[in-house]
């Protein structure tokens, strides 16, 4: 069996990442000649219907009060028990924080390796499997040999997937009550605050971001103005957060937020690797920089060579002039 | 309260990353080394906690002698003692790293809180903290962006897809932290001088290896076309707005 750890949205439906992992699992299972199983937490809801049409014939539902608050460590412990019982050929999970953490705990408990952030899995005949995984936020790819009786992997979104999946003939649902030791000290969720609605860096179609070239926290006013005019959000590079010009929540990059807007406007950002991995999935990039050789400029779709504080006010004026605002 | 931070020596890469001729590693001949941003915040947090509670802030790394450069950096930020677990590999597999850290924690005096960065800045396996917590049967929370101490427990704040969560853990505990937890300080001259002379405790590594072995590194293929330069300075504004209009972003 190839076992897939699936996640659900707040409304109980399968997440997009999980659907992608299921597609990859289907491919892998076919090449191994084994079925696909899934494991999830909580009540079945719509999940069996959702899974059967994706070729999953068996669903294991983990039921335990310690799992209701979504603790990855508890999930990992429960997962390790299930995996030890089922002995699947592989366990695949989306590379979200929650699943990665749960898989890390499960791997430790099972005494097995875990390959995180994989983009491809190539099973070996008898020897080790080979995986391709993202390093340094995806700017480098690593081919690695994975030697284990059960191959544990988390998958990055955008992994190759088949076009058509045959539905499974039937679905069997097994409710599993994991043995979670009461004596073990655990972290527990004590408070949950919903994020305020509104545009965020990850959902904005346009992100106007500034780096060293903006020069000061006051310098972001013109970026705010442009973002307002184009219905976008303001982002920044690590230099800006380190200088205290912007809050860390605005930071685009390896250690900030990774975004994929339609347009990324990079103002006075040189484009170091740490930043690049945060914006490389943008559909298009407009760079504004005084240095025509800056990596951000040479990798951009469009570029304007010049100072942020000369270029952006002129762009803002031009937008206002054309729209008569 | 005694806090230990685990850090990793990683190449300080710029915009282009060069690989070695055999393609198995980053060519570091012309690069400096650093600790990742998440780990820098972990060191800062440990130092603040030690200052506030009158405790200690230790720093630990796993690797050959050259990794002591990063321990000294953490010492210059205000950490008060440093431990290196001696292993020959500069980039050990996460199982091996976790085994080395777990072994060291068995030899060292007890810590109330052990901090990791969420993921190293180079390999990014994102699992050593959870592996160590599992081996020690300690509570663990990842993605931490806020730490509050409250007697014999700690409150750990993290972001989730839906918003913000606060987890409570009894001490001793483990946390994997994210940049944004705080704004790390720059080392002072005095700090650097102190760090230079500070002793570093060296422990033998367990010599364990894991089941994940790097075969080769490669660059991700980049499909982008050549950059179109729209102009220079303010004079480029009409061309920029033409592009925005073409994309349907402005009318």
């Amino acid at each position: 069996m190839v076992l897939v750890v699936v996640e659900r949205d707040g409304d109980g439906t399968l997440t997009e990442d999980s659907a992608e992992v299921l597609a990859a699992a289907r491919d892998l299972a076919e090449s191994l000649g084994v079925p696909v199983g899934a494991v999830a937490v909580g009540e079945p809801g719509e999940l069996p219907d959702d899974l059967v049409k994706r070729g999953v014939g068996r669903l294991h539902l983990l039921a335990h009060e310690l799992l209701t608050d979504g603790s990855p460590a508890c999930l990992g412990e429960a997962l390790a028990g299930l995996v030890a019982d089922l002995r699947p050929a592989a366990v695949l999970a989306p590379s979200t924080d929650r699943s990665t953490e749960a898989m890390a705990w499960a791997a430790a408990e099972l005494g097995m390796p875990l390959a995180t952030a994989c983009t491809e899995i190539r099973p070996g005949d008898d020897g080790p499997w080979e995986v391709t995984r993202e390093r340094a936020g995806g700017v480098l790819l690593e081919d690695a040999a994975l030697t284990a009786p059960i191959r544990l992997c988390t998958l990055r979104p955008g992994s190759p997937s088949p076009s058509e999946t045959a539905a499974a003939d039937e679905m069997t649902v097994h409710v599993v009550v994991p043995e979670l030791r009461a004596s073990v000290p655990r972290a527990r969720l004590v408070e949950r605050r919903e994020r305020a609605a509104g545009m965020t860096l990850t959902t904005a179609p346009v992100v106007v971001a500034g780096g060293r070239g903006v020069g000061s926290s006051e310098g972001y006013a013109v970026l705010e103005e442009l973002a307002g005019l184009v219905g976008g959000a303001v982002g920044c590079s690590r230099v800006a957060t380190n200088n205290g010009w912007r809050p860390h929540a605005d930071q685009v990059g390896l250690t900030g937020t990774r975004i994929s807007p339609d347009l990324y406007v990079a103002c006075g950002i040189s484009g170091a690797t740490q930043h690049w991995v945060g914006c490389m999935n943008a559909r298009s990039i407009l760079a504004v920089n005084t240095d025509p050789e800056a990596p951000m400029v040479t990798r951009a779709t469009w570029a304007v060579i010049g100072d942020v504080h000369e270029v952006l006010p002129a762009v803002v004026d031009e937008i206002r002039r054309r729209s008569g605002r | 309260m005694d806090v230990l931070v685990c850090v990793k020596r990683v190449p300080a890469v710029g915009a282009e990353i060069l690989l070695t001729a055999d393609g198995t590693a980053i060519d570091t001949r012309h690069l400096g080394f650093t600790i990742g941003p998440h780990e820098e915040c972990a060191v800062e947090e440990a130092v603040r906690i030690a200052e506030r509670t009158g405790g200690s802030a230790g720093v630990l790394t796993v690797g050959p002698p050259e990794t002591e450069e990063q321990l000294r950096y953490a010492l210059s930020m205000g950490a008060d003692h440093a431990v290196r677990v001696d292993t020959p590999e500069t980039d050990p597999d996460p199982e091996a790293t976790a085994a080395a850290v777990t072994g060291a924690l068995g030899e060292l005096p007890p810590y109330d809180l052990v901090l990791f960065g969420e993921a190293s800045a180079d390999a990014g396996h994102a699992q050593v903290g959870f592996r160590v917590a599992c081996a020690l049967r300690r509570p663990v929370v990842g993605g931490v962006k806020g730490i509050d101490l409250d007697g014999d427990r700690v409150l750990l704040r993290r972001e989730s897809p839906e918003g913000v969560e606060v987890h409570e853990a009894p001490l001793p505990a483990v946390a994997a932290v994210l940049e944004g937890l705080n704004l790390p300080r720059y080392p002072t001259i005095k700090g650097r001088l102190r760090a230079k002379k500070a002793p570093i405790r060296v422990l033998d590594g367990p010599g364990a290896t894991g089941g994940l072995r790097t075969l080769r590194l490669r660059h991700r293929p980049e499909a982008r076309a050549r950059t179109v330069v729209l102009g220079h300075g303010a004079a480029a504004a009409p061309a920029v707005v033409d592009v925005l209009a073409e994309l349907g972003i402005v009318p």
Side-chain angles (χ1 to χ4, degrees):
Chain A
M1 180 196 287
V2 173
L3 184 67
V4 180
V5 181
V6 299
E7 292 183 14
R8 287 185 276 181
D9 283 330
D11 62 0
T13 56
L14 200 64
T15 63
E16 230 170 89
D17 288 0
S18 300
E20 278 196 33
V21 177
L22 283 166
R26 186 76 217 154
D27 257 6
L28 178 62
E30 236 159 62
S31 73
L32 297 171
V34 297
V36 179
V39 53
V41 174
E43 297 298 318
E46 311 280 300
L47 200 54
D49 294 341
D50 234 355
L51 291 175
V52 77
K53 64 181 185 221
R54 293 171 200 277
V56 180
R58 207 179 153 100
L59 169 64
H60 301 269
L61 282 174
L62 297 170
H64 196 290
E65 57 171 0
L66 281 173
L67 296 173
T68 49
D69 75 5
S71 154
C74 289
L75 176 57
E77 201 178 325
L79 205 52
L82 181 69
V83 170
D85 282 347
L86 296 175
R87 308 292 301 177
V91 184
L92 310 186
S95 70
T96 57
D97 293 346
R98 180 174 147 76
S99 284
T100 302
E101 291 168 8
M103 290 283 277
W105 185 286
E109 197 130 336
L110 293 162
M112 286 181 198
L114 162 66
T116 55
C118 294
T119 58
E120 231 182 289
I121 299 170
R122 297 177 291 279
D125 287 335
D126 287 316
W129 287 18
E130 215 180 284
V131 298
T132 300
R133 59 181 300 273
E134 292 186 346
R135 268 174 88 103
V139 77
L140 285 181
L141 296 176
E142 170 186 4
D143 296 324
L146 178 60
T147 310
I150 299 170
R151 294 81 181 182
L152 308 176
C153 305
T154 70
L155 260 66
R156 291 287 299 161
S159 309
S161 58
S163 47
E164 262 322 297
T165 300
D169 297 332
E170 53 172 0
M171 159 70 70
T172 55
V173 179
H174 303 257
V175 175
V176 181
V177 181
E179 277 177 47
L180 297 173
R181 275 154 291 189
S183 58
V184 175
R186 302 174 193 280
R188 63 188 185 89
L189 182 70
V190 290
E191 193 188 334
R192 183 178 265 156
R193 288 194 298 270
E194 300 272 314
R195 187 172 288 112
M199 192 152 6
T200 66
L201 270 185
T202 40
T203 59
V206 180
V207 173
V208 182
R212 193 185 300 277
V214 177
S216 66
S217 62
E218 297 76 36
Y220 281 82
V222 67
L223 279 77
E224 301 269 7
E225 200 178 354
L226 178 59
L229 284 172
V230 299
V234 172
C236 71
S237 72
R238 188 155 179 260
V239 173
T241 39
N242 277 0
N243 284 336
W245 299 344
R246 301 293 293 187
H248 186 270
D250 285 1
Q251 185 179 316
V252 174
L254 177 62
T255 52
T257 307
R258 290 187 223 175
I259 58 171
S260 46
D262 295 335
L263 175 66
Y264 185 62
V265 186
C267 307
I269 296 176
S270 67
T273 304
Q274 135 88 290
H275 185 77
W276 176 249
V277 298
C279 67
M280 66 183 181
N281 292 325
R283 204 165 290 167
S284 58
I285 296 177
L286 167 64
V288 180
N289 207 297
T290 50
D291 177 8
E293 300 302 320
M296 185 58 85
V297 172
T298 57
R299 284 165 163 170
T301 325
W302 305 280
V304 175
I305 312 305
D307 188 286
V308 172
H309 295 295
E310 286 171 22
V311 179
L312 290 198
V315 170
V316 165
D317 285 348
E318 180 69 13
I319 294 172
R320 289 195 193 284
R321 191 185 65 76
R322 290 195 195 182
S323 64
R325 278 189 275 177
Chain B
M1 200 167 113
D2 301 315
V3 188
L4 181 72
V5 183
C6 299
V7 301
K8 181 181 180 187
R9 173 182 169 93
V10 296
V13 295
E16 299 293 333
I17 300 179
L18 298 177
L19 299 178
T20 55
D22 67 358
T24 59
I26 292 176
D27 183 351
T28 55
R29 281 175 301 174
H30 307 291
L31 293 180
F33 290 84
T34 182
I35 59 174
H38 300 316
E39 290 165 10
E40 230 176 277
C41 288
V43 173
E44 175 66 34
E45 195 72 13
V47 171
R48 288 187 194 181
I49 291 171
E51 284 167 353
R52 213 161 54 225
T53 62
S56 73
V59 58
L60 179 147
T61 196
V62 177
E66 60 263 31
T67 59
E68 292 184 4
E69 183 192 347
Q70 279 57 51
L71 293 178
R72 292 199 190 279
Y73 182 77
L75 290 167
S76 73
M77 285 177 71
D80 45 46
H81 61 280
V83 180
R84 177 172 67 85
V85 185
D86 187 49
T87 63
E89 305 93 0
T90 49
D91 189 13
D93 150 288
E95 279 177 280
T97 309
V101 175
T102 306
L105 285 169
E107 280 185 58
L108 296 167
Y111 290 94
D112 302 295
L113 187 61
V114 180
L115 299 180
F116 292 83
E118 176 78 358
S120 64
D122 58 347
H125 292 294
Q127 53 185 269
V128 173
F130 273 71
R131 283 185 180 274
V132 170
C134 178
L136 298 173
R137 293 285 153 199
R138 299 252 177 103
V140 58
V141 176
V144 169
K145 276 195 163 180
I147 299 181
D148 284 310
L149 298 169
D150 184 9
D152 57 358
R153 54 183 202 138
V154 60
L155 294 171
L156 302 160
R157 184 165 47 79
R158 75 176 303 177
E159 283 167 22
S160 73
E162 296 82 29
V164 173
E165 296 175 354
V166 181
H167 298 259
E168 181 192 290
L171 295 172
V174 176
V177 309
L178 282 176
E179 189 185 35
L181 174 63
N182 52 44
L183 199 53
R185 69 193 74 185
Y186 289 106
T188 58
I189 301 281
K190 205 176 138 203
R192 283 186 191 278
L193 289 174
R194 195 180 58 82
K196 221 168 158 178
K197 285 179 278 182
I200 288 176
R201 182 166 173 190
V202 180
L203 301 176
D204 284 331
T209 51
L212 190 66
R213 189 168 52 88
T214 303
L215 300 172
R216 70 195 79 84
L217 303 184
R218 43 200 173 89
H219 288 278
R220 178 185 286 272
E222 273 191 54
R224 277 182 206 283
R226 266 183 92 83
T227 308
V228 176
V229 176
L230 298 173
H232 289 70
V240 170
V241 182
D242 286 346
V243 165
L244 297 180
E246 211 173 291
L247 293 173
I249 289 166
V250 295

